[in-house]
Amino acid sequence: MDDFPDTDLEADLYAYLGKAGYEPQDSGGIARGMGVDSRRRAELRALLEKGLRQGRLLKLRKGCYALRKDPRERAVFGHIICTASGRLLFRPDEAGQAQVQALVPGAEVRTLAVDSRRSRGAMDGDRVRVSLRVQGGSMRFRRGHRGPRTPQAGDLRVTVYVEEILERGHEQWVGTYRRGGRFGIMAGDGVTAPEIVYLDTAPPEDLESGTCIVVEPVSYPIGSMAARGRLVEVLGDTERANVQITAIIRKFGLREEFPPAVLAEADRLPQEVPAADCAGREDCRAECTITIDPESARDYDDAISVRRTAAGWELAVHIADVAHYVRPCTALDAEAQKRGNSTYLPDRVLPMLPPRLCDGICSLRQGVDRLTALCRMQVAADGSVEKAQFSKAVICSRRRMTYAQALEVLRGGSCGDAEVDAMLREAAALAATLRARRMAQGALNLDMPEVRVTADAQGNPTGVEITEGDEAHSLIEECMLAANEAVAQRLNALGLPAIYRVHEAPDPAKLHEFSLQLRSYGISAGTLATRRQLADTMELLHGHADEEALKLALLRCMMRARYSPDALGHYGLAKGDYCHFTSPIRRYADLVVHRAFLRLCGASAPLPPRGRLADISAHISETERTSAAAEAEADRYMLTRYLQQQCSAEQPRAWDAVVTACWAQGLAVDIPLLRAKGFVSGSELPQDTRWFYGNHFWNSTDGRRISPGSRMRLIPVAVDAATGFADFRPAPQDN
């Protein structure tokens, strides 16, 4: 079945189950009672299973289903998060957020603490149903205030009770094998796996203590009862980098292999564009169109063409037409939706689509015909988009360029093609204008250098690459932002079902704390109550010695961007309507938007009902968080390995650090570029003078002082492999 259904089956299901006089029925009886077509019986069964997981349905004897009797407004659904320190938090889903807001007026509550005694054994990633109890705290009054006062967020205490674990977050646990118990134990990290899991079957005789293993849960830890598990995979020596990356993949439940049915569908797709597929499309093969991507990129899903006009510029953004090949309700589509996005790890990529698509027919390779979704914009001299046209197109990319090659042209060089050189320079002028307009509208400049640990074929770290934002990167970024906004505005104006990228305003309390932090650096930022104030403050930080550290502090104040079927705006980009349209090879949200985009091109494309869009949005927001967590852990591991190597190197690399605290034992430091923390012992301070501690400073006999905010160049001397925490010492002056 290649089309989305015309009706929202989920809404119809709950309307049917909630009818007066409904008697519990099995799935077949429900299907007959609702008049569900035989082609949609599998969808109905999936919705019933989903209702059970969410706690909305009960399964009675003989496989009959009924709505839960307890009132829904008293139940809040969401996920459990376990922090690195072992603290449990409850993150309500989108509907639950509204319920919490109603209980705690005026509060920006995204997570709530959960006492382990009230958790029912819930663990990281578990989907749960909870009840909330709100109690009044101390009532504080302003001087001179008379009469009763409405309780404020700070006056209230919310207690979370986990009532039911609906779905476990981790189907497997990863840890280290240790001898003990009857068959041995697995030592987990205490976050994604219990600290101790007893094996319930004998492991292989040659399994050595310290080996990385994967177990399948048999029972979960509740109270004093320990967890038990079944050994399902031996990954290997924990000292090997590729073993650790594989362990991270298993820990976060990421999908490596594609099912046979998915690969079979991919194999049936052509590897060249047939002439028949070009019919009815705008033919742009004669236009000067190029791709600009990182050196290591293998898939190219966006291309641009720019030309100067009397009024400004014409910008054509071509995006690989993945929707032409990945149709709704196919095995390819189902797998892409489950994955949600591609995941990028130091030594491998876990793609959302099989390589035959992302590296083949959907990749806008140089010199071959490819199908695209085209957003052609007329941009005025002030950077405003005066007109946007949307169509299906076919292109033949003139040149595949890397960022380094494009930057060389922008700085006066040549790629050997005069037309491409001229177009790149026009594109850079356009991008600068678009960026200036965006910043003037209050967008936040949160650009940070990208740090990547390079690895050899065995996955061992070989060095650190630092990518700074430059004109070439900005060129592509601004073109993609313009296309994303133009598509979102048109979809929203027409009321077409789509998925939007939303970013809500930060918590005012956190911004106030950030303003106080800025004040300690001598930066007067006011209240930061408006985005304009925040944007102006970010401009003040540009070029500041502690720019990276302060930008990181601001990022911690920001809400996490997510996907939603509602166009709620994007705070950081200062855009009212915004979606992800430009990367359908690696993000499922973009693929959904491309299907809505077909309506803008005049095609009668089927679109999913709103209820399904809400579910998809929640799911891909979660897969994005999971991928980001896995990528961050893999990056931390590789950085730790790299710093360990540097400890014994003849000429270790030095890093800029900021002192965050001074103690009698030494200094606490941040290395902003590495997003790492460390310690410098007082005994490691330069030996060319005597140092002594007092009044929260380190002072030397020759008049030097080290205090919070001081900057130093440091090299690593020891690294804790488990935590990644490093000891440093000042770098030699000639380092």
Side-chain angles (χ1 to χ4, degrees), residues 74-303:
R74 295 179 56 191
V76 181
F77 297 91
H79 288 83
I80 294 294
I81 303 170
C82 184
T83 67
S85 62
R87 185 177 177 224
L88 293 179
L89 301 173
F90 170 67
R91 184 181 67 231
D93 58 20
E94 189 171 353
Q97 290 287 353
Q99 293 172 281
V100 175
Q101 295 291 329
L103 288 170
V104 191
E108 290 288 342
V109 179
R110 292 297 168 182
T111 58
L112 295 167
V114 181
D115 191 309
S116 59
R117 294 169 297 181
R118 303 184 181 98
S119 69
R120 289 184 178 265
M123 299 176 61
D124 180 73
D126 291 354
R127 179 166 174 78
V128 295
R129 175 173 62 88
V130 310
S131 61
L132 305 178
R133 181 178 300 169
V134 181
Q135 297 170 293
S138 60
M139 297 291 286
R140 297 182 295 276
F141 294 88
R142 298 189 304 274
R143 177 176 292 181
H145 178 86
R146 295 181 180 181
R149 182 175 72 87
T150 302
Q152 301 300 304
D155 301 323
L156 303 173
R157 184 172 69 253
V158 182
T159 305
V160 179
Y161 294 83
V162 176
E163 303 292 352
E164 186 178 5
I165 299 171
L166 304 172
E167 188 175 1
R168 289 291 184 176
H170 298 277
E171 297 178 355
Q172 295 180 329
W173 292 329
V174 180
T176 306
Y177 176 72
R178 303 284 186 220
R179 302 196 183 281
R182 184 180 179 188
F183 298 121
I185 62 175
M186 186 201 80
D189 60 8
V191 178
T192 58
E195 292 184 354
I196 298 294
V197 180
Y198 286 93
L199 303 185
D200 67 349
T201 55
E205 292 183 2
D206 59 350
L207 184 61
E208 298 181 359
S209 185
T211 301
C212 189
I213 61 172
V214 182
V215 305
E216 186 179 83
V218 172
S219 65
Y220 293 82
I222 301 178
S224 60
M225 294 178 57
R228 306 193 69 84
R230 182 179 302 108
L231 177 65
V232 294
E233 187 176 7
V234 176
L235 297 182
D237 185 358
T238 56
E239 295 299 314
R240 291 171 52 194
N242 57 358
V243 168
Q244 286 292 347
I245 301 300
T246 302
I248 290 170
I249 291 172
R250 300 289 188 275
K251 178 188 296 186
F252 287 94
L254 300 174
R255 303 166 74 88
E256 277 192 288
E257 303 298 326
F258 286 94
V262 174
L263 294 176
E265 275 191 6
D267 287 342
R268 290 195 289 270
L269 295 174
Q271 284 304 283
E272 300 294 336
V273 175
D277 285 357
C278 300
R281 290 178 175 264
E282 185 175 345
D283 193 340
C284 303
R285 286 174 285 195
E287 295 182 15
C288 181
T289 305
I290 64 170
T291 63
I292 307 177
D293 293 279
E295 176 71 43
S296 58
R298 293 186 302 176
D299 57 80
Y300 320 118
D301 54 6
D302 58 78

Side-chain angles (χ1 to χ4, degrees), residues 533-548:
Q533 286 182 323
L534 195 53
D536 291 343
T537 300
M538 297 312 297
E539 288 301 313
L540 289 176
L541 294 183
H542 184 64
H544 192 280
D546 298 308
E547 179 180 1
E548 287 84 4

Side-chain angles (χ1 to χ4, degrees), residues 280-284 287 316-319 321 371-376 388-395 487 490 581 594 597-603:
R281 290 178 175 264
E282 185 175 345
D283 193 340
C284 303
E287 295 182 15
V317 175
H318 290 271
I319 307 300
D321 191 359
L371 306 182
T372 66
L374 169 60
C375 175
R376 192 184 295 275
Q389 297 171 293
F390 310 100
S391 63
K392 296 189 292 181
V394 56
I395 67 168
V487 171
R490 187 68 61 86
F581 163 72
H594 272 236
F597 176 89
L598 291 174
R599 292 282 185 95
L600 305 183
C601 304

Side-chain angles (χ1 to χ4, degrees), residues 450-724:
E450 182 181 337
V451 179
R452 187 175 73 91
V453 179
T454 57
D456 60 20
Q458 288 71 44
N460 298 307
T462 57
V464 172
E465 288 184 353
I466 300 172
T467 304
E468 299 275 0
D470 54 41
E471 300 98 309
H473 286 82
S474 180
L475 186 160
I476 290 299
E477 179 186 14
E478 295 301 331
C479 292
M480 298 305 116
L481 290 176
N484 285 338
E485 183 179 22
V487 171
Q489 286 178 337
R490 187 68 61 86
L491 291 175
N492 196 26
L494 295 176
L496 294 174
I499 289 178
Y500 296 89
R501 183 66 166 177
V502 302
H503 183 221
E504 287 125 324
D507 184 347
K510 290 184 178 180
L511 286 182
H512 177 67
E513 292 176 5
F514 179 60
S515 71
L516 296 178
Q517 182 178 355
L518 290 174
R519 197 173 301 169
S520 69
Y521 282 82
I523 300 172
S524 179
T527 62
L528 300 181
T530 66
R531 182 168 50 210
R532 181 70 268 166
Q533 286 182 323
L534 195 53
D536 291 343
T537 300
M538 297 312 297
E539 288 301 313
L540 289 176
L541 294 183
H542 184 64
H544 192 280
D546 298 308
E547 179 180 1
E548 287 84 4
L550 293 173
K551 280 186 175 180
L552 281 174
L554 175 58
L555 282 171
R556 297 187 188 104
C557 300
M558 293 287 112
M559 304 297 291
R560 181 188 287 271
R562 60 186 177 87
Y563 294 106
S564 170
D566 300 310
L568 303 177
H570 197 292
Y571 182 87
L573 296 174
K575 295 186 182 298
D577 297 325
Y578 190 72
C579 70
H580 274 168
F581 163 72
T582 53
S583 294
I585 283 178
R586 61 185 179 91
R587 293 188 304 230
Y588 191 76
D590 303 53
L591 180 54
V592 173
V593 169
H594 272 236
R595 289 167 179 162
F597 176 89
L598 291 174
R599 292 282 185 95
L600 305 183
C601 304
S604 58
L607 299 178
R610 179 178 170 76
R612 183 180 292 186
L613 280 180
D615 291 339
I616 293 173
S617 297
H619 171 70
I620 61 180
S621 293
E622 195 65 34
T623 61
E624 181 182 66
R625 282 190 286 266
T626 299
S627 290
E631 290 167 355
E633 184 165 328
D635 289 341
R636 282 195 300 270
Y637 168 75
M638 293 296 286
L639 180 60
T640 297
R641 286 288 300 268
Y642 172 75
L643 291 177
Q644 285 176 323
Q645 292 177 355
Q646 290 286 293
C647 291
S648 56
E650 290 185 10
Q651 293 184 319
R653 185 169 181 173
W655 302 94
D656 290 321
V658 179
V659 177
T660 57
C662 294
W663 305 310
Q665 298 87 351
L667 315 170
V669 294
D670 269 355
I671 297 84
L673 200 57
L674 300 180
R675 299 186 176 121
K677 298 182 181 295
F679 178 75
V680 178
S681 171
S683 62
E684 293 283 5
L685 296 178
Q687 302 297 307
D688 58 347
T689 186
R690 291 182 60 192
W691 292 88
F692 57 93
Y693 174 77
N695 196 28
H696 305 294
F697 303 114
W698 277 87
N699 298 280
S700 71
T701 53
D702 61 0
R704 281 178 279 176
R705 168 176 283 190
I706 300 175
S707 60
S710 296
R711 285 168 287 279
M712 310 177 72
R713 292 276 289 173
L714 303 176
I715 58 176
V717 293
V719 183
D720 186 320
T723 65

